[in-house]
Amino acid sequence: MPKFFSKSRFLAANPDSEKGSALVIAILIMLLMVGFVTIVISRVSGETVITTVDTAENRTLSATQAVLESTSRDVADVFGRKLSPTNADIAAIRAATVPGFSSFDCSQKDIYQTKNASATEITGGTYAGLYSLRDEWEIDVICKEPASRVETQVKRRFLNDRIPLFQFGIFYEDDLELNRPPLFTFGGRVHTNSNFFVSASPTSSGGGIYFKSKATAVGEVVNDIWKTGGALTSGYDDQGDIFVADAGGTFRELDTGKASVKCVSPSGANVFAAYPNLPYCSRRSTWVTEKAVFQGNLETNSPRLDLPLYRLGVDLVELTKRSKNIGDLTSNGTTAVPVTAATMDPPIVAQEKFANKQGLRITLADSKQKLPGCANNATLANDCGVRLDGTFGSSIGYQPLAMTDGYQGTPLNATRMAQTGKEIWIKVEIVDFDYNTSLPVTKDITAEFLSLGLTERPPIDDSGSNRMEIQNYSDSSNPSDVDDKDNDDIRSIIKMQRFAMEGPQLPSTPNYTTYRTINSTDFNMVVRYTAVGSVNGSGCSGTCTAANGWASPPPNGSSSQTAEDSGHLQQARFTTGSYNVAVVPFPIELFDTREGIPSDATSYYNTFSTDKVPRAGLMSMVDIDVGNLRKFFNGGFDGKFPTGTPYATAKGSALVSSDVPENKGWVLFLSDRRGDFDFDGEYDMEDVFPDNTLQFNEDVNNNGVLDKKTTTTEAPTYSEWLYKSHAAVTDHGYYRRGFRLVNGSVIPGNYPSANPTATKGFTVSSENGIYVLGNYNATGVTLSGTSAPAPSQNYQPQNTSTHIPAAIIADAPTILSNAWNDSKSFVYPFDQSQRNASATQVRFALLAGDGITGKDTASSYNPSSFGQLNGGIHNFKRYLERWTNVRLNYAGSLVNLFNSRNNNGFWKCCNAVYNPPIRDWTFDSTFLDPNRLPPGTPFIYALTFTGYQRVRD
């Protein structure tokens, strides 16, 4: 068998072999060492290269991340400033460099939209539960390090959410108040960026407050005290029933005294310590447990929901204000001065103002320079607006141009509007907006629009009996001039004057008006001469004189013939009467009791007697005929507008409706600046508790000064008066101006149900107060009974072509019922029981202002038995009639963002001013469809950035 030897034994037995073996082994070891060293050297070299590359990659990645973060900030800045970035903005972001990374090439940078706007429900964070119009974007950055030739790429996605304000049933910027209303049920989400003060009448007495959706407050919910510090009434609103639906839709009660704070017998720190005008309240330790029953639908200390202007520190009233661009005037606090680059609207303010939205803009002023774009009068052509009190024969006024089909509007009678040292100008503009420059682009169409007329059609019976006809007053040179003026004023959209005012007889002392009955309806007219025969006939041939039986004096009170006669005299012919009269048209005025008296007392009858009214409440109206405006937008006047105007000459053809730009419909912006002495867009009479002392809740513009102009500037005091019959037919020089929407049951716009994305809506906005007369955007409503509001789908028309998204944006809104007439406002200024309302239905989103609620201890002056409350959300819409047991049906969204600057009279109820209606109010659920939002709807903007993603090829 073979023998095996150990190594040691073999070496010991053969010494020569041992030497050879050792050499072989040594060589082998050396070879092995060389190979090992080579491998080690190779590996070390490779690892060195890898380490070098890793280091370069880390450097490049850090640079790429830095550029991504800087680009994200630039994007957020552009979206924050301009809301809608332009191609130039994106190009500027791409070109921007980041300091400290000059050794890297980061020129490959892109920002692009990956998904167009679509309606999206927000599922988390501050805005959870709301829907937004969301578009998606991406930032893509590639950086290279030239020295190492290393390249890295990162991406970041961000969401641009635009949350429409009108998806809220109620949205308040300041404290939201609901103080003891009758039954109040309102759908839609509720939010206040401040506190929520709420108390309710018990359901056993027909009261109760019901919120069907989530209600949130940035501050606290208070329900055991009024905001003024006044105690709840024992057995009444201290036992009130307040209900909020839980997540399943079941109403849960918020018991009185179990809200987030305790204001009756508080203990602990005052949560309102920073707000000296709020009551002392301590935090309720059991609130977390109390609110759990609402399952997240009643929340306090919620995040703010802010509009872009708020983020810039701009007062939200600027949404309604006139624009400020080069070529305009603005206020320096004392007078009107030209806008400069330093005082013009910043881009985001310009973009958000309704004055700049696509559509139409109508402006009145008491000088040409105060019209928009007309400040540099010396360098402008003569096509900057139209003067309404220019030379008109031997009188003053304006004759509208004739339309091409022969239609001719009545001349404006400026003798009853003119004020010493002032002129009367008007400008009507087409408005577009250039998002690249953040400037409005306008075209003057004043002459065209005025050719439709400036006069309210006279009251007539089209059947041919019992009618009043207004005819041109002939002169000896043209005896055949007998055109029927009631037909020639049928197209007017802008109405500044009328021939008759319906209603009871105005006081006959002094005799400024004459009273007639037309078709069993009573009217007041300005009759200059009575016993007038037929046109160019006996009793008044050619011209009239006082010998013909003078009736009403001209505005200056003189009984002698004036230039008004020859320029504006018309014949009123009564088909049922035995004689005719010579009349002149007069301005449209009404008396606003809320603005005219400092408290809700009927005793003002004794103060002013039966034939006088305080000047403070005299409101000059410009009526906007919404029905005729709809006809214009529908092309009803195309082919009829005059040629030869500056606009038609520049365009090369006459105006047609399609010349007006629109964005999901039209915005009509209205501004009457006549009498605005310092040109700040605010009525400077803040002493609404007349004691010549500034109270905090009088200071609506928060400037720390009691603004109180004298009668020689823009505001009268409460004690100044005018005869009723004079006030009703003659304009004044104060900044007491308003616009009234009439004939608005069907408004401009279109809803094509087969293609909702093509919907066109209609929004009216004004820095003045807006008065809505009669049904608006609704022809009827199917009632649900007396205990529940009619849902918005019960309003007619419903889902037809005339079911229009609508909004009214104004300093203040006043609803005048279908039964309103101006004469009663003068005859019964302090007795709302004589101004009885009738059932009325309106449908629009409302954005407006209110007053500032104060403590009873702030002043001894109480405007009504409710103290210095501002009326709350249930009186947010204003009234001037007795609505007792009469229904006001309202569908829309109620948004309060600021304090009213023009109609700033404090809330008063329920003696002289008004008595509230049955509030059949509901949230308009069609606003939850982004295709059916009113044009110009404000949005809360929110950018959401994701984390970055590294891209590896």
Side-chain angles (χ1 to χ4, degrees):
M1 61 184 295
K3 296 182 180 178
F4 297 94
F5 300 93
S6 69
K7 180 180 179 181
S8 59
R9 185 176 176 181
F10 178 80
L11 290 174
N14 301 281
D16 293 333
S17 298
E18 291 177 2
K19 292 179 180 179
S21 298
L23 178 61
V24 170
I25 291 170
I27 291 171
L28 291 172
I29 291 173
M30 289 179 63
L31 292 172
L32 290 171
M33 290 295 293
V34 169
F36 177 75
V37 170
T38 301
I39 292 171
V40 169
I41 291 172
S42 175
R43 181 169 182 177
V44 169
S45 177
E47 288 183 351
T48 300
V49 171
I50 291 172
T51 301
T52 301
V53 172
D54 283 347
T55 301
E57 188 171 348
N58 288 336
R59 288 197 304 268
T60 308
L61 179 61
S62 296
T64 311
Q65 290 171 325
V67 173
L68 178 67
E69 296 301 328
S70 177
T71 303
S72 299
R73 286 193 298 271
D74 291 343
V75 166
D77 178 63
V78 169
F79 274 83
R81 285 186 294 105
K82 300 187 72 173
L83 306 180
S84 300
T86 64
N87 291 335
D89 295 325
I90 298 300
I93 296 174
R94 291 192 187 111
T97 60
V98 181
F101 294 91
S102 58
S103 60
F104 297 89
D105 177 8
C106 299
S107 59
Q108 296 186 54
K109 180 170 52 175
D110 204 0
I111 303 100
Y112 52 92
Q113 189 172 341
T114 59
K115 185 177 180 181
N116 292 329
S118 61
T120 304
E121 182 177 354
I122 302 174
T123 57
T126 300
Y127 306 105
L130 301 172
Y131 83 82
S132 75
L133 294 178
R134 171 180 290 178
D135 44 73
E136 300 181 7
W137 294 69
E138 194 168 280
I139 304 172
D140 193 350
V141 178
I142 300 175
C143 284
K144 298 177 183 178
E145 186 181 49
S148 65
R149 294 182 294 179
V150 172
E151 177 181 288
T152 61
Q153 180 179 2
V154 294
K155 290 185 176 183
R156 167 172 285 162
R157 184 166 151 262
F158 69 92
L159 309 175
N160 178 32
D161 285 306
R162 285 158 292 162
I163 302 167
L165 201 57
F166 295 145
Q167 75 175 290
F168 288 88
I170 299 171
F171 186 99
Y172 260 54
E173 182 60 35
D174 58 4
D175 291 329
L176 171 57
E177 300 173 53
L178 258 174
N179 300 301
R180 196 202 294 171
L183 177 67
F184 190 91
T185 304
F186 203 73
R189 186 157 174 172
V190 177
H191 177 80
T192 171
N193 275 334
S194 193
N195 304 294
F196 187 6
F197 290 83
V198 57
S199 63
S201 307
T203 55
S204 59
S205 63
I209 295 173
Y210 296 83
F211 291 106
K212 297 180 179 181
S213 300
K214 187 172 184 176
T216 54
V218 172
E220 308 294 340
V221 174
V222 183
N223 76 337
D224 62 349
I225 198 171
W226 284 9
K227 185 182 173 183
T228 56
L232 304 185
T233 303
S234 177
Y236 197 59
D237 50 344
D238 66 342
Q239 303 295 319
D241 297 326
I242 304 167
F243 301 90
V244 180
D246 63 18
T250 301
F251 282 112
R252 305 291 185 177
E253 186 171 4
L254 175 65
D255 291 329
T256 302
K258 292 188 178 180
S260 67
V261 293
K262 181 181 180 183
C263 305
V264 174
S265 304
S267 58
N270 181 5
V271 297
F272 298 137
Y275 307 95
N277 299 308
L278 293 182
Y280 167 31
C281 303
S282 59
R283 195 168 302 282
R284 187 175 299 281
S285 61
T286 59
W287 173 237
V288 173
T289 302
E290 300 285 356
K291 73 174 183 176
V293 68
F294 304 105
Q295 300 175 339
N297 272 3
L298 182 60
E299 292 291 335
T300 57
N301 306 118
S302 299
R304 286 186 58 89
L305 303 179
D306 290 328
L307 293 170
L309 294 190
Y310 183 90
R311 295 176 181 175
L312 295 177
V314 176
D315 194 321
L316 296 180
V317 74
E318 288 295 320
L319 286 168
T320 68
K321 288 290 194 73
R322 62 196 68 167
S323 59
K324 291 186 290 185
N325 299 307
I326 302 299
D328 296 338
L329 294 180
T330 187
S331 175
N332 65 359
T334 303
T335 188
V337 296
V339 171
T340 66
T343 59
M344 69 184 297
D345 287 328
I348 195 169
V349 177
Q351 185 171 336
E352 290 290 274
K353 280 188 172 182
F354 281 89
N356 297 329
K357 303 288 185 182
Q358 288 95 333
L360 293 171
R361 183 164 63 186
I362 300 172
T363 306
L364 291 104
D366 45 30
S367 73
K368 182 176 184 177
Q369 290 85 350
K370 290 181 178 180
L371 293 172
C374 301
N376 301 319
N377 187 38
T379 61
L380 289 172
N382 293 324
D383 60 347
C384 198
V386 165
R387 184 173 179 182
L388 297 177
D389 62 335
T391 300
F392 184 70
S394 60
S395 182
I396 58 173
Y398 174 75
Q399 172 66 70
L401 297 179
M403 302 188 80
T404 57
D405 63 350
Y407 173 94
Q408 176 70 72
T410 297
L412 184 81
N413 181 7
T415 61
R416 292 181 177 268
M417 300 179 184
Q419 302 293 323
T420 302
K422 299 177 181 179
E423 299 174 350
I424 306 173
W425 286 82
I426 187 171
K427 188 177 185 182
V428 183
E429 302 166 277
I430 289 173
V431 182
D432 205 347
F433 194 80
D434 186 340
Y435 289 92
N436 290 310
T437 62
S438 293
L439 292 172
V441 179
T442 65
K443 296 177 182 178
D444 189 333
I445 58 168
T446 311
E448 282 82 358
F449 233 66
L450 299 192
S451 71
L452 297 168
L454 285 161
T455 307
E456 170 64 48
R457 187 187 188 192
I460 63 171
D461 175 8
D462 287 319
S463 67
S465 61
N466 295 327
R467 64 181 290 170
M468 170 189 182
E469 293 179 346
I470 299 294
Q471 297 182 328
N472 287 340
Y473 214 94
S474 74
D475 54 45
S476 56
S477 64
N478 187 17
S480 63
D481 186 10
V482 292
D483 292 340
D484 195 343
K485 300 307 297 176
D486 50 26
N487 290 322
D488 284 350
D489 290 318
I490 197 171
R491 297 176 180 173
S492 300
I493 293 175
I494 303 170
K495 300 179 178 182
M496 297 182 64
Q497 64 181 10
R498 55 188 166 194
F499 284 104
M501 180 174 65
E502 180 182 350
Q505 182 177 6
L506 293 166
S508 57
T509 305
N511 188 23
Y512 278 92
T513 56
T514 299
Y515 184 63
R516 288 287 186 273
T517 298
I518 308 168
N519 193 23
S520 302
T521 303
D522 299 327
F523 288 91
N524 293 277
M525 298 175 292
V526 176
V527 176
R528 297 289 283 115
Y529 303 96
T530 63
V532 176
S534 60
V535 174
N536 211 28
S538 61
C540 190
S541 178
T543 59
C544 292
T545 65
N548 299 121
W550 161 81
S552 303
N556 62 8
S558 170
S559 61
S560 62
Q561 181 180 359
T562 67
E564 181 182 39
D565 298 345
S566 59
H568 302 287
L569 204 63
Q570 306 286 333
Q571 176 173 285
R573 186 178 67 182
F574 303 94
T575 58
T576 57
S578 58
Y579 64 92
N580 304 323
V581 294
V583 298
V584 293
F586 53 91
I588 299 175
E589 309 284 328
L590 65 78
F591 184 79
D592 187 324
T593 306
R594 171 172 171 151
E595 299 299 317
I597 54 178
S599 69
D600 188 49
T602 58
S603 60
Y604 286 104
Y605 264 128
N606 300 325
T607 304
F608 294 100
S609 72
T610 59
D611 58 354
K612 304 179 183 69
V613 287
R615 289 177 180 260
L618 298 179
M619 285 289 175
S620 170
M621 287 289 107
V622 176
D623 285 355
I624 303 296
D625 191 309
V626 179
N628 279 347
L629 184 59
R630 174 179 170 81
K631 186 175 182 180
F632 164 76
F633 281 126
N634 286 346
F637 305 129
D638 289 356
K640 299 180 176 65
F641 284 108
T643 58
T645 65
Y647 175 81
T649 300
K651 179 191 171 189
S653 60
L655 173 71
V656 292
S657 58
S658 58
D659 292 345
V660 182
E662 53 92 12
N663 185 0
K664 297 293 185 181
W666 306 272
V667 171
L668 172 65
F669 181 77
L670 306 166
S671 172
D672 191 343
R673 309 165 180 192
R674 290 175 293 169
D676 186 6
F677 180 79
D678 55 358
F679 209 67
D680 62 353
E682 300 180 1
Y683 177 62
D684 293 325
M685 210 296 287
E686 290 184 335
D687 198 15
V688 293
F689 309 141
D691 57 5
N692 208 33
T693 301
L694 179 65
Q695 313 293 341
F696 83 93
N697 49 335
E698 293 176 313
D699 192 13
V700 292
N701 58 11
N702 199 32
N703 66 353
V705 176
L706 182 66
D707 296 315
K708 187 178 179 181
K709 296 294 189 295
T710 67
T711 56
T712 59
T713 54
E714 68 181 63
T717 64
Y718 282 122
S719 60
E720 296 173 74
W721 57 269
L722 200 64
Y723 284 112
K724 291 178 180 179
S725 58
H726 192 182
V729 298
T730 307
D731 202 1
H732 52 76
Y734 309 121
Y735 191 39
R736 300 264 73 186
R737 307 288 169 180
F739 289 90
R740 183 165 56 180
L741 307 181
V742 302
N743 189 24
S745 59
V746 181
I747 68 173
N750 181 48
Y751 172 62
S753 57
N755 183 22
T757 59
T759 301
K760 294 182 180 181
F762 181 58
T763 294
V764 182
S765 179
S766 179
E767 61 186 349
N768 307 99
I770 285 184
Y771 297 73
V772 180
L773 177 57
N775 294 348
Y776 190 84
N777 196 29
T779 56
V781 60
T782 302
L783 302 180
S784 297
T786 58
S787 61
S792 60
Q793 58 266 30
N794 284 23
Y795 284 67
Q796 290 90 40
Q798 185 66 217
N799 292 332
T800 69
S801 62
T802 53
H803 182 181
I804 311 300
I808 292 176
I809 319 293
D811 179 74
T814 302
I815 306 297
L816 305 174
S817 81
N818 286 303
W820 173 270
N821 73 69
D822 295 340
S823 184
K824 287 185 178 180
S825 73
F826 289 103
V827 177
Y828 310 114
F830 315 118
D831 185 1
Q832 46 96 358
S833 69
Q834 297 296 322
R835 305 188 304 271
N836 291 299
S838 64
T840 303
Q841 39 268 336
V842 295
R843 179 169 49 177
F844 55 84
L846 173 62
L847 190 161
D850 64 356
I852 305 173
T853 300
K855 283 185 178 180
D856 290 335
T857 56
S859 169
S860 60
Y861 200 90
N862 289 328
S864 72
S865 58
F866 294 91
Q868 294 178 10
L869 293 171
N870 68 8
I873 186 66
H874 48 302
N875 293 296
F876 184 42
K877 295 186 289 292
R878 305 181 181 193
Y879 312 101
L880 297 173
E881 297 168 89
R882 184 178 185 268
W883 288 81
T884 306
N885 298 322
V886 175
R887 191 178 299 270
L888 174 66
N889 294 95
Y890 169 79
S893 169
L894 299 171
V895 177
N896 176 13
L897 298 183
F898 49 84
N899 299 124
S900 300
R901 302 297 208 270
N902 286 306
N903 287 33
N904 66 336
F906 218 73
W907 174 68
K908 314 167 182 72
C909 181
C910 302
N911 297 309
V913 179
Y914 79 101
N915 221 45
I918 297 173
R919 299 180 181 92
D920 198 335
W921 298 0
T922 190
F923 171 63
D924 190 341
S925 59
T926 62
F927 292 156
L928 297 177
D929 181 347
N931 295 312
R932 304 181 71 174
L933 289 168
T937 294
F939 289 88
I940 298 167
Y941 285 74
L943 289 183
T944 303
F945 288 91
T946 65
Y948 75 87
Q949 173 191 2
R950 183 173 179 182
V951 180
R952 296 181 184 272
D953 294 327

